[in-house]
Amino acid sequence: MTSKSKNLPSALNEWHCLLGDNSMLVGEPAAIQYGACTTPVQRSIPAALLPTSQEQVVALVKIAATYKVPLYPISTGRNWGYGTANPVVDGCVVVDLSRMNRIMDMDENLGLVTLEPGVTQRILNDYLEERGLDFLVPVTGAGPNCSLVGNALERGYGITPYTDHFTAVTSLEAVLADGSIYRPALTGLGGEAVDQAYKWGLGPYLDGLFSQGSFGIVTKMTIALARRPETIQTFFFSVVADNGLESAVGAVREALRATTGISGSINLMNPQRVLSMLVPHPSRETGLTGAIPTETVTRLAREYQVTAWTGVGALYGEKKIVSAARSVIKGKLRPYVQRLVFLDSASLRRGKGLLGIIPRQLPLSGKLSMMAERLDATLNIMEGHPSEIALPLAYWKSGSLPRQGMDHDPARDGCGLIWYAPLVPMVPERVRCYVEMVKNICPSYGLDPLITLTSVSDRCFDSTVPLLFSKNNLDEAVKAQECFKNLFEAGQREGFLPYRLGVHSMELATEQEGSYWDTVRRIKKALDPGCIIAPGRYEPGCHLGKEETD
Ligand code: ADP
């Protein structure tokens, strides 16, 4: 990297001529703005560039290529739990695309939106509301200020009908390491409209290279949006005893299979995960180990009527179809789960229903209103409205919540969070094996096993386990990192592997031998021989200096 840092001042001069003072940060201001992270990682970030157009991205990439200075593109850089805005390796100049936040086109007939990388969940939501357009924003728990492009590129998922966010991407444009622009084949042949309407295009499917890849800077993306349906019904259920998990998993699989296209994802959460939404962290009771003792979990669960597993899902569609799907779900789930309730959000908004349902489950009035508030926010997210409801989780163990009126920003607020997010086959015994693995490993590092299983199809769950720790405590941070590594390795032995990695954990996968990473290395060498774009991001070569040409 020495030759690269020697060239940095010359590159900075040229970028300054291109962008001016207000569109770049150099030295400490860049390190402060982009270095904050919820994981123990902090990379050295010499500068950040904030282009406002694709032309500027092309020009700045050419400068980077001339001086061999590596770049790290981010859309909004809120990749909390996976590295925030930190590059995978030291010395990269961050390319912050958040000022490129135009919605370039919205085809109301086809439900296709074409947008720039800085467009956030909030910006799209406002755009749709202002125009009275009835589409769902592909929301995630990361909240209103996060980009749609960054999440789709990381293959994030939500709970609304178009669950898998990269599946919904039909077309994209990217600036390659030599400053040329990648456009899909159909667009190149003059068929931009069909290209945007048809995901696979023509010829080898290359758009996918840019998701979880380091082959270009994506400057434009078309996303299919789900239409707001006539009705949305959210359902909740409980699995009272832990030994009911296996049959509940089988029932969930059958329910999803029978309602494909109507049902969004179904989530299953263990007591610790549900309690993290309901009670302050009982830190006085954690003792020396750091994890909440089983007796405390049992007591709190009893007090708040939290069962061994809590399930939540939603049905989307025309009233008649949803009503039929509801009967199907009841038929599939009722024999195996308890307290199955359906909530029609429209009637809830009118104030009916809620009080009829909650008192039976939670007869304590102070807790009732809090529960109702949380429920309302949960329904909001099911309905495709961006919400910060999931963000307090990051603050549960370590941070104090932001002041009233301020947005949540776990990295800024010093929260410690690493996500472990493995895929688990939807096979009851495999799910049990996975759950026991997490329950055994986390407490041995002083961490609570907060387990969610989210269906990503009727064949597979993705599980999310937030490893929460105090960033001020070095020992806790080290343990959280070690815990992640242990989970990764134990999971690998059992066949549970993450769908996504953080900047702290790329190497755990990319440094393993195999034809896949070898192919990635060869593509990287062909497209980006100077390792200009996001070195080390889901690729094994650049950060080891193997590809340096001088
Ligand atoms: P968000 O703020 O929506 O959570 P980020 O902007 O942090 O998402 O993006 C997540 C990751 O995806 C980044 O760390 C980066 O590696 C990659 N990425 C984001 N936007 C782009 C882009 N426009 N082009 C190429 N890679 C990107």
Side-chain angles (χ1 to χ4, degrees), residues 72-79 97 147 150 153-154 216-218 537:
Y72 192 76
I74 56 167
S75 287
T76 44
R78 294 169 197 273
N79 204 11
L97 301 157
S147 73
L153 290 179
E154 274 292 327
I217 301 183
V218 175
R537 176 172 150 77

Side-chain angles (χ1 to χ4, degrees), residues 67-109:
Y67 293 102
K68 297 190 168 22
V69 178
L71 302 174
Y72 192 76
I74 56 167
S75 287
T76 44
R78 294 169 197 273
N79 204 11
W80 295 311
Y82 295 102
T84 315
N86 279 269
V88 182
V89 299
D90 283 329
C92 292
V93 169
V94 167
V95 180
D96 176 351
L97 301 157
S98 61
R99 291 187 184 169
M100 290 174 62
N101 60 6
R102 282 179 311 143
I103 294 179
M104 300 155 108
D105 187 45
M106 173 73 215
D107 185 324
E108 296 170 33
N109 292 319

Side-chain angles (χ1 to χ4, degrees), residues 38 52 153 236 239 286 319 321 358 363 383 401-402 411 423 456 490:
T38 66
T52 51
L153 290 179
F236 295 84
V239 180
T286 52
K319 278 190 180 143
I321 296 175
I358 288 184
E383 291 171 15
L401 286 165
L423 297 159
V456 288

Side-chain angles (χ1 to χ4, degrees), residues 98-157:
S98 61
R99 291 187 184 169
M100 290 174 62
N101 60 6
R102 282 179 311 143
I103 294 179
M104 300 155 108
D105 187 45
M106 173 73 215
D107 185 324
E108 296 170 33
N109 292 319
L110 300 181
L112 293 167
V113 67
T114 300
L115 37 77
E116 291 186 315
V119 173
T120 59
Q121 296 179 29
R122 190 197 307 276
I123 293 175
L124 180 60
N125 190 60
D126 291 350
Y127 179 96
L128 294 173
E129 275 183 5
E130 276 160 25
R131 288 161 183 79
L133 298 173
D134 273 340
F135 293 94
L136 304 174
V137 175
V139 289
T140 66
N145 297 323
C146 296
S147 73
L148 299 162
V149 168
N151 187 263
L153 290 179
E154 274 292 327
R155 302 207 281 263
Y157 57 84

